[in-house]
Structures are given as C-alpha cells and as structure tokens.
Amino acid sequence: ASPAVFNNLTMNNSNGLTLNTSAQINGTLTLTDGIISTGSNTFTMGSGASVAAINNNSYVAGNVASIYTTTLASRPFPIGSQDRHRMLYLQGSASSGTGALVCNIVSGDAASVATVELPLEKVSELRYYTFTNNSGLTLSFDKIIDCRINDDDGVGLLVSNATLRFAGNLGATGDWLEI
C-alpha cells in the first residue's frame, strides 16, 4: 500500500497518534505535543523534509525512515523512546535514484548482539539503533551530524563529545567497531 503523503504536519495532541498505514512527510514536521507511534508501519521523512520542532513530549516512536538522493545531504530521523526524543541526523547519499534508510531504537544491551572490539571499551547496556536499507540501492554515509544524548542514556555527565564514540555493526564480522 502507498503511504499517506503530507506536505507539512504539526503534531499537537497530547493523546498521541497511532499510524494505521505508513506515512511520508515532504515538507516541515513540527512535533509540539503527543507521540506518533508507527506500530509495524513506517514514518518517512521525504528527501526535502525538515523538522521544525521536537521535544520529550513529542517524537516518532517506531520505524522512522529518511530518503536519500544522489546529493550528499544531512537527513533527519525524528525518533524517540521511553519519554525522550533521540533525534539524529546522518549525512549520506544514494548511489543512484532515491533510497530510504529505516531507523529503529531497540531497548536492550548492545553487547548481546555483537562483541565489543578495541579501542571501544563498552557499548550501551540500555538501547541501540538499528538501520535497515530497504531500497536495494547502495547508501553511503560519511558522518553522524547530530545525535541527541539524554540523561537516561547511561553515559554519565556529557560535558563534551571528546570521549563519546559511536560504534557500528554491519553483521559481517559480528563485532561492534568504532565509526
């Protein structure tokens, strides 16, 4: 089924919203109040979509995708879990055409799915992100532009990003590797 397509969308309903079909935003997403729950559906940020506002009372919980084109761009993932927004931006591009990368947050110990390799000392025992390329195209990423770290993430007082590292697991090695 084709997703419901919106140009601009403002979420301002403390009762929240549960998708009964996938949805795509092509303009501006404003998350003021209420959580958008995807269930088994996907909430997609179109290639030109942006996020005007997000907060701990309003984010997308579940499957969040962003569309990449052949132009290198930073794309938003307005995702959250457990009463916290965990917004992140990944910079990347598609090899040809457009491709979607789907993000989800998994509650649990990241060490249970892969081995920690030096120079990493540990990975989160609380949650980790999964990314799935459903497009069939090669998607390339060169950096994490921004990632929301919260007081419940178990990384202590985060004064700077000097000691915080991100790890990736492509499934091929079975190891978490610093990225």
Side-chain angles (χ1 to χ4, degrees), residues 17-31:
L17 169 72
T18 299
L19 299 181
N20 61 14
T21 188
S22 292
Q24 181 171 323
I25 306 303
N26 290 328
T28 302
L29 174 64
T30 304
L31 297 163

PDB file of all heavy atoms in Angstrom, residues 17-31:
ATOM      1  N   LEU A  17      -0.843   9.745  18.443  1.00  0.00           N
ATOM      2  CA  LEU A  17      -1.399   9.255  17.188  1.00  0.00           C
ATOM      3  C   LEU A  17      -0.743   7.920  16.872  1.00  0.00           C
ATOM      4  O   LEU A  17       0.477   7.791  16.974  1.00  0.00           O
ATOM      5  CB  LEU A  17      -1.103  10.263  16.063  1.00  0.00           C
ATOM      6  CG  LEU A  17      -1.359   9.841  14.630  1.00  0.00           C
ATOM      7  CD1 LEU A  17      -2.860   9.765  14.372  1.00  0.00           C
ATOM      8  CD2 LEU A  17      -0.721  10.823  13.671  1.00  0.00           C
ATOM      9  N   THR A  18      -1.542   6.930  16.488  1.00  0.00           N
ATOM     10  CA  THR A  18      -1.010   5.643  16.057  1.00  0.00           C
ATOM     11  C   THR A  18      -1.308   5.493  14.571  1.00  0.00           C
ATOM     12  O   THR A  18      -2.467   5.616  14.157  1.00  0.00           O
ATOM     13  CB  THR A  18      -1.635   4.475  16.845  1.00  0.00           C
ATOM     14  OG1 THR A  18      -1.312   4.644  18.234  1.00  0.00           O
ATOM     15  CG2 THR A  18      -1.085   3.140  16.367  1.00  0.00           C
ATOM     16  N   LEU A  19      -0.268   5.259  13.777  1.00  0.00           N
ATOM     17  CA  LEU A  19      -0.457   5.106  12.334  1.00  0.00           C
ATOM     18  C   LEU A  19      -1.145   3.786  12.016  1.00  0.00           C
ATOM     19  O   LEU A  19      -0.760   2.741  12.548  1.00  0.00           O
ATOM     20  CB  LEU A  19       0.890   5.145  11.610  1.00  0.00           C
ATOM     21  CG  LEU A  19       1.730   6.415  11.730  1.00  0.00           C
ATOM     22  CD1 LEU A  19       3.018   6.257  10.927  1.00  0.00           C
ATOM     23  CD2 LEU A  19       0.965   7.639  11.272  1.00  0.00           C
ATOM     24  N   ASN A  20      -2.138   3.827  11.132  1.00  0.00           N
ATOM     25  CA  ASN A  20      -2.740   2.577  10.651  1.00  0.00           C
ATOM     26  C   ASN A  20      -2.278   2.277   9.228  1.00  0.00           C
ATOM     27  O   ASN A  20      -2.697   1.302   8.630  1.00  0.00           O
ATOM     28  CB  ASN A  20      -4.271   2.592  10.762  1.00  0.00           C
ATOM     29  CG  ASN A  20      -4.906   3.692   9.945  1.00  0.00           C
ATOM     30  OD1 ASN A  20      -4.266   4.293   9.098  1.00  0.00           O
ATOM     31  ND2 ASN A  20      -6.168   3.962  10.208  1.00  0.00           N
ATOM     32  N   THR A  21      -1.398   3.148   8.718  1.00  0.00           N
ATOM     33  CA  THR A  21      -0.721   2.946   7.444  1.00  0.00           C
ATOM     34  C   THR A  21       0.586   3.732   7.501  1.00  0.00           C
ATOM     35  O   THR A  21       0.759   4.587   8.367  1.00  0.00           O
ATOM     36  CB  THR A  21      -1.598   3.408   6.261  1.00  0.00           C
ATOM     37  OG1 THR A  21      -0.977   3.019   5.033  1.00  0.00           O
ATOM     38  CG2 THR A  21      -1.785   4.915   6.257  1.00  0.00           C
ATOM     39  N   SER A  22       1.508   3.455   6.617  1.00  0.00           N
ATOM     40  CA  SER A  22       2.750   4.229   6.579  1.00  0.00           C
ATOM     41  C   SER A  22       2.451   5.656   6.136  1.00  0.00           C
ATOM     42  O   SER A  22       1.454   5.914   5.457  1.00  0.00           O
ATOM     43  CB  SER A  22       3.755   3.564   5.636  1.00  0.00           C
ATOM     44  OG  SER A  22       4.179   2.326   6.186  1.00  0.00           O
ATOM     45  N   ALA A  23       3.308   6.584   6.541  1.00  0.00           N
ATOM     46  CA  ALA A  23       3.116   7.998   6.212  1.00  0.00           C
ATOM     47  C   ALA A  23       4.441   8.605   5.764  1.00  0.00           C
ATOM     48  O   ALA A  23       5.511   8.172   6.190  1.00  0.00           O
ATOM     49  CB  ALA A  23       2.579   8.758   7.416  1.00  0.00           C
ATOM     50  N   GLN A  24       4.354   9.612   4.895  1.00  0.00           N
ATOM     51  CA  GLN A  24       5.543  10.326   4.419  1.00  0.00           C
ATOM     52  C   GLN A  24       5.300  11.821   4.516  1.00  0.00           C
ATOM     53  O   GLN A  24       4.244  12.309   4.127  1.00  0.00           O
ATOM     54  CB  GLN A  24       5.882   9.945   2.989  1.00  0.00           C
ATOM     55  CG  GLN A  24       7.129  10.662   2.469  1.00  0.00           C
ATOM     56  CD  GLN A  24       7.610  10.135   1.141  1.00  0.00           C
ATOM     57  OE1 GLN A  24       7.545   8.929   0.897  1.00  0.00           O
ATOM     58  NE2 GLN A  24       8.111  11.016   0.298  1.00  0.00           N
ATOM     59  N   ILE A  25       6.300  12.542   5.019  1.00  0.00           N
ATOM     60  CA  ILE A  25       6.269  13.996   5.121  1.00  0.00           C
ATOM     61  C   ILE A  25       7.249  14.544   4.098  1.00  0.00           C
ATOM     62  O   ILE A  25       8.416  14.146   4.079  1.00  0.00           O
ATOM     63  CB  ILE A  25       6.699  14.464   6.534  1.00  0.00           C
ATOM     64  CG1 ILE A  25       5.870  13.799   7.615  1.00  0.00           C
ATOM     65  CG2 ILE A  25       6.655  15.983   6.640  1.00  0.00           C
ATOM     66  CD1 ILE A  25       4.395  14.006   7.509  1.00  0.00           C
ATOM     67  N   ASN A  26       6.778  15.453   3.247  1.00  0.00           N
ATOM     68  CA  ASN A  26       7.656  16.041   2.234  1.00  0.00           C
ATOM     69  C   ASN A  26       8.047  17.476   2.547  1.00  0.00           C
ATOM     70  O   ASN A  26       8.897  18.039   1.881  1.00  0.00           O
ATOM     71  CB  ASN A  26       7.008  15.969   0.854  1.00  0.00           C
ATOM     72  CG  ASN A  26       6.948  14.544   0.351  1.00  0.00           C
ATOM     73  OD1 ASN A  26       7.811  13.733   0.656  1.00  0.00           O
ATOM     74  ND2 ASN A  26       5.912  14.226  -0.405  1.00  0.00           N
ATOM     75  N   GLY A  27       7.416  18.088   3.556  1.00  0.00           N
ATOM     76  CA  GLY A  27       7.701  19.467   3.932  1.00  0.00           C
ATOM     77  C   GLY A  27       8.251  19.547   5.337  1.00  0.00           C
ATOM     78  O   GLY A  27       9.220  18.881   5.683  1.00  0.00           O
ATOM     79  N   THR A  28       7.569  20.333   6.186  1.00  0.00           N
ATOM     80  CA  THR A  28       8.035  20.581   7.543  1.00  0.00           C
ATOM     81  C   THR A  28       7.237  19.773   8.555  1.00  0.00           C
ATOM     82  O   THR A  28       6.010  19.787   8.548  1.00  0.00           O
ATOM     83  CB  THR A  28       7.920  22.084   7.882  1.00  0.00           C
ATOM     84  OG1 THR A  28       8.678  22.825   6.923  1.00  0.00           O
ATOM     85  CG2 THR A  28       8.444  22.378   9.269  1.00  0.00           C
ATOM     86  N   LEU A  29       7.944  19.082   9.438  1.00  0.00           N
ATOM     87  CA  LEU A  29       7.340  18.345  10.540  1.00  0.00           C
ATOM     88  C   LEU A  29       7.561  19.144  11.816  1.00  0.00           C
ATOM     89  O   LEU A  29       8.694  19.481  12.160  1.00  0.00           O
ATOM     90  CB  LEU A  29       7.984  16.966  10.676  1.00  0.00           C
ATOM     91  CG  LEU A  29       7.559  16.126  11.880  1.00  0.00           C
ATOM     92  CD1 LEU A  29       6.070  15.768  11.788  1.00  0.00           C
ATOM     93  CD2 LEU A  29       8.411  14.859  11.969  1.00  0.00           C
ATOM     94  N   THR A  30       6.464  19.461  12.507  1.00  0.00           N
ATOM     95  CA  THR A  30       6.539  20.175  13.775  1.00  0.00           C
ATOM     96  C   THR A  30       5.946  19.278  14.850  1.00  0.00           C
ATOM     97  O   THR A  30       4.758  18.958  14.809  1.00  0.00           O
ATOM     98  CB  THR A  30       5.770  21.512  13.710  1.00  0.00           C
ATOM     99  OG1 THR A  30       6.280  22.285  12.616  1.00  0.00           O
ATOM    100  CG2 THR A  30       5.910  22.293  15.005  1.00  0.00           C
ATOM    101  N   LEU A  31       6.769  18.855  15.784  1.00  0.00           N
ATOM    102  CA  LEU A  31       6.346  17.971  16.862  1.00  0.00           C
ATOM    103  C   LEU A  31       6.250  18.799  18.141  1.00  0.00           C
ATOM    104  O   LEU A  31       7.260  19.074  18.788  1.00  0.00           O
ATOM    105  CB  LEU A  31       7.334  16.811  17.007  1.00  0.00           C
ATOM    106  CG  LEU A  31       7.413  15.894  15.784  1.00  0.00           C
ATOM    107  CD1 LEU A  31       8.667  15.044  15.810  1.00  0.00           C
ATOM    108  CD2 LEU A  31       6.170  15.024  15.703  1.00  0.00           C
TER     109      LEU A  31
END
